[in-house]
Each structure stands twice: as C-alpha cells, then as structure tokens.
Amino acid sequence: MTSDLSKLGDKLILRGLMFHGFHGVKQEEKKLGQKFLIDVDAWMDLRKPGQSDNMSDTVSYTDIYRIVKSIVEGPSQNLLESVAQLIATTTLNNHSQISAVRVVVGKPHVAVPGPLDYLGVEIIRYRSADMPL
C-alpha cells in the first residue's frame, strides 16, 4: 500500500485518549495495570457529511472512542501490537465507511533508564488488504 497516507484523503482524528488497562507480559502489569495513550486516524470520505451536516452521513467519534475504551480496559493482552490490532480490526469491522485506520498505542510508564514521553507501537490497516470482503 501507499506510504504517503495523505493520499488517502479525509479522516477522523482522535488524539490523546487515556485509559487504564492491564496489558503487558509482566505479572505486575497484568495485576496493577497502567495508563495507555491512544491515537486513532480513520480514513473515510467526508464530503457527504460536510455538505449535508447530517450525523447519519458520517461515523461518530464517540463510536470509535467506545471501541478503544472497551479494548484498552478489556481483557489483558501481552503485546501492544495485539491491542492496536484489536482496535484497528474492530473499527474496520464496525464501520464499513472507513477505508483505513492508523492506531498508536503508547505506554508512558515503562522501566527504562532515562526520560521519555512513551514507548509504543503504530499500525496501519487497510480495508482492501486486511479486511477482504
């Protein structure tokens, strides 16, 4: 697929979502949990809702927010890659208008020596390649 995501066109943007989850390979992570930071971009054609000003012509940000919340606060996963994959595939499965989704999952509290904002993963999933009809 294209590496220039700007060619995909319009998108919905969700930034800085924060949830407490129990993901990780260490027992402490699964028992105590920690904060996770999530960003989501969901590509879809926004011309129709832009012209109609009608909510039924678009995907609600809150629908995507609820997907992220249920996954991050849901059953424990070992890897951030798995958390991101679940968010991406659920978003694509639930919203046929979305052609691609980018998910960033960040872990701000990690045991590494030195200052950082977060460590994490970023994935991009395309309906055409990752969700065949």
Side-chain angles (χ1 to χ4, degrees):
M1 285 288 152
T2 180
S3 61
D4 183 3
L5 295 175
S6 66
K7 292 179 182 177
L8 291 175
D10 308 336
K11 66 181 176 180
L12 301 175
I13 302 169
L14 290 83
R15 291 285 182 271
L17 285 64
M18 282 187 253
F19 302 102
H20 189 84
F22 296 87
H23 311 290
V25 294
K26 297 179 181 170
Q27 274 311 115
E28 309 85 57
E29 294 174 307
K30 292 187 179 296
K31 183 178 178 183
L32 301 174
Q34 62 191 298
K35 180 170 64 172
F36 292 87
L37 301 172
I38 313 294
D39 292 341
V40 177
D41 292 326
W43 280 269
M44 62 178 285
D45 190 341
L46 297 175
R47 283 179 280 223
K48 186 173 181 182
Q51 293 167 351
S52 72
D53 197 26
N54 190 333
M55 189 64 203
S56 65
D57 291 331
T58 192
V59 172
S60 172
Y61 302 106
T62 58
D63 288 349
I64 298 172
Y65 179 92
R66 286 185 193 115
I67 289 169
V68 175
K69 179 178 173 58
S70 70
I71 290 168
V72 176
E73 293 181 348
S76 177
Q77 303 295 317
N78 289 325
L79 303 177
L80 297 182
E81 292 86 340
S82 181
V83 174
Q85 181 71 25
L86 285 168
I87 293 168
T89 57
T90 304
T91 301
L92 289 169
N93 278 331
N94 290 6
H95 299 288
S96 61
Q97 313 94 306
I98 296 174
S99 59
V101 65
R102 173 187 158 270
V103 179
V104 177
V105 178
K107 225 179 191 181
H109 305 294
V110 292
V112 296
L116 55 86
D117 287 336
Y118 66 86
L119 300 178
V121 300
E122 175 178 338
I123 67 167
I124 301 164
R125 298 294 178 261
Y126 302 89
R127 177 172 306 286
S128 59
D130 298 302
M131 306 295 293
L133 298 175

